Amino acid sequence: MFDEEEFRQALRRNRLSGPVPDVLQANRAVPIRVVPESELRAGTQAWFGEFERKLEFYGKLGLDLSWLLVWAKKYWWSFLTRDMSHNHELYASDVRYTDVTTFGRTIVGIDDFVTYNFAFFDAIPDWRYDPIPGQAYIDVTPEGTVRTVIRYLGSGHWRGPLRLYPYDRTAPALHGDGRFIQCPAVDRYHFTAAGLMAEGETLYDAFDVTQRAGILPRDDSRAFRALLAATKLPALLGRLRPA
């Protein structure tokens, strides 16, 4: 059974393996400071405290959203510990989800949602998610639908292939070289009246992620300019194609 103590233990637990640099070994235009695991843990603890106070404030306004705190704890705990035993308490059976890696498709159902998430864990075994303090937003529609937007950091050592949709051995993959990667993303969730996620989306900058991982070259490199120059041909063919 999930309980508060299990959640607290997960908050205190280290997950990252191997060395963590002070600055990312990346191909971005500027140096990027790495947030160390001790700071990630402290930030996550602060985030949950902020989130609880936010929900208490809504309660004083007559809007009881206290269930969101329990949901958020179970959700974060399940991914940090890789324990999916509480999924029926978190997601609608027909949950719909999109991600950059689906290329516009929609994942439907809990099983496919889990498969998608474990594609990241298979590629980055020590991958951890940490919500960023001050960057959680709650919206309630006049019809009573609760929606949230949360910005967070993903951190870990990219050691294997990150399989894209459909997340199996037939899928195209991005291959990491074992370096430490840390990047921000934004998640959007919509909930049912029963407090289950019915719809969600993960958004991030694909240029940012692949440059942080050393896969995509720097923007001022010849290789990057050559990649972009290659788009001239399909653009030209598109202009020549009859309307």
Side-chain angles (χ1 to χ4, degrees), residues 75-82 84 91 113 117 121 129:
Y75 181 68
W76 179 85
W77 172 87
S78 70
F79 283 121
L80 195 74
T81 63
R82 314 295 194 253
M84 301 292 116
Y91 317 113
F113 178 66
N117 278 286
F121 300 148
Y129 298 99

Side-chain angles (χ1 to χ4, degrees), residues 56-237:
E56 289 173 351
F57 172 73
Y58 280 110
K60 293 176 182 177
L61 298 178
L63 192 60
D64 183 9
L65 299 176
S66 56
W67 58 270
L68 257 180
L69 180 62
V70 178
W71 188 94
K73 287 180 177 181
K74 286 182 182 179
Y75 181 68
W76 179 85
W77 172 87
S78 70
F79 283 121
L80 195 74
T81 63
R82 314 295 194 253
D83 187 325
M84 301 292 116
S85 60
H86 294 274
N87 285 350
H88 62 289
E89 302 171 15
L90 295 169
Y91 317 113
S93 59
D94 59 348
V95 60
R96 299 173 63 82
Y97 208 88
T98 59
D99 180 275
V100 173
T101 59
T102 67
F103 304 103
R105 302 176 184 87
T106 300
I107 299 164
V108 181
I110 295 177
D111 289 345
D112 284 352
F113 178 66
V114 171
T115 298
Y116 142 71
N117 278 286
F118 271 84
F120 287 84
F121 300 148
D122 290 342
I124 314 171
D126 60 344
W127 190 240
R128 60 175 293 150
Y129 298 99
D130 292 280
I132 301 172
Q135 300 192 32
Y137 311 93
I138 301 172
D139 174 64
V140 182
T141 70
E143 296 74 28
T145 300
V146 178
R147 306 180 292 193
T148 64
V149 174
I150 299 168
R151 189 165 183 261
Y152 60 92
L153 281 176
S155 309
H157 293 82
W158 191 340
R159 302 189 187 282
L162 173 58
R163 301 189 188 282
L164 312 180
Y165 188 92
Y167 311 110
D168 60 19
R169 293 192 176 277
T170 69
L174 290 170
H175 296 266
D177 62 3
R179 79 180 63 195
F180 178 79
I181 181 172
Q182 188 171 78
C183 54
V186 173
D187 278 6
R188 172 184 63 86
Y189 309 138
H190 292 194
F191 296 90
T192 67
L196 301 174
M197 187 210 293
E199 177 186 334
E201 181 179 32
T202 294
L203 295 168
Y204 47 90
D205 181 343
F207 275 5
D208 180 41
V209 172
T210 49
Q211 285 184 325
R212 286 177 184 238
I215 296 170
L216 192 68
R218 282 179 57 95
D219 66 295
D220 55 3
S221 68
R222 290 183 178 179
F224 186 85
R225 292 175 184 274
L227 284 171
L228 295 194
T231 65
K232 288 181 180 179
L233 181 57
L236 177 61
L237 293 175

